[in-house]
Amino acid sequence: VQLQASGGGLVQPGGSLRLSCAASGSIFGINIMGWYRQAPGKQRELVAVITNGGSTNYADSVKGRFTFSRDNAKNTGYLQMNSLKPEDTAVYYCNAQISNWKLVYSNYWGQGTLVTVSS
């Protein structure tokens, strides 16, 4: 099983980006998916989570600006980030609880994608 994060880049303040987190391999199901971020010199923090039913929860710092969605048929989650601020600059990591055919869930991390918000 692999988790591939993509979509990062350089954007001006106020701009938008959409991150993708795609799971591939021997997958029976995906439970909770999450996006985390780590800014230089800071600890990794939770940005948003989504359940397999589509319920979401966000960090206060991104509420109203970020939207987490998922396409279960494609085993992919999406983080739409609007009204980006310089303080959103970080490496973003996706995380997912993925089960195999034995219904054993394991925790997986993507490789990280860099988001830079700067003029």
Side-chain angles (χ1 to χ4, degrees):
V1 174
Q2 287 189 328
L3 210 53
Q4 179 76 33
S6 62
L10 173 64
V11 64
Q12 292 186 342
S16 298
L17 282 175
R18 189 177 82 154
L19 305 183
S20 297
C21 176
S24 61
S26 182
I27 299 169
F28 186 82
I30 301 177
N31 192 8
I32 294 174
M33 301 183 76
W35 282 100
Y36 293 73
R37 67 186 181 187
Q38 187 166 18
K42 295 188 176 181
Q43 289 189 332
R44 189 174 296 189
E45 64 175 357
L46 178 63
V47 176
V49 293
I50 188 168
T51 68
N52 56 5
S55 296
T56 54
N57 201 5
Y58 300 93
D60 288 343
S61 58
V62 306
K63 279 181 183 176
R65 301 187 297 121
F66 290 11
T67 302
F68 198 173
S69 62
R70 61 191 286 173
D71 184 334
N72 290 332
K74 295 182 178 180
N75 291 328
T76 300
Y78 306 97
L79 185 68
Q80 178 66 42
M81 305 186 296
N82 298 328
S83 302
L84 282 162
K85 304 175 181 180
E87 50 264 43
D88 295 317
T89 295
V91 177
Y92 284 70
Y93 298 91
C94 64
N95 172 271
Q97 299 171 354
I98 300 174
S99 73
N100 57 21
W101 65 274
K102 296 182 179 179
L103 299 183
V104 174
Y105 279 89
S106 298
N107 198 41
Y108 292 90
W109 287 94
Q111 83 286 8
T113 184
L114 177 62
V115 172
T116 304
V117 184
S118 175
S119 55

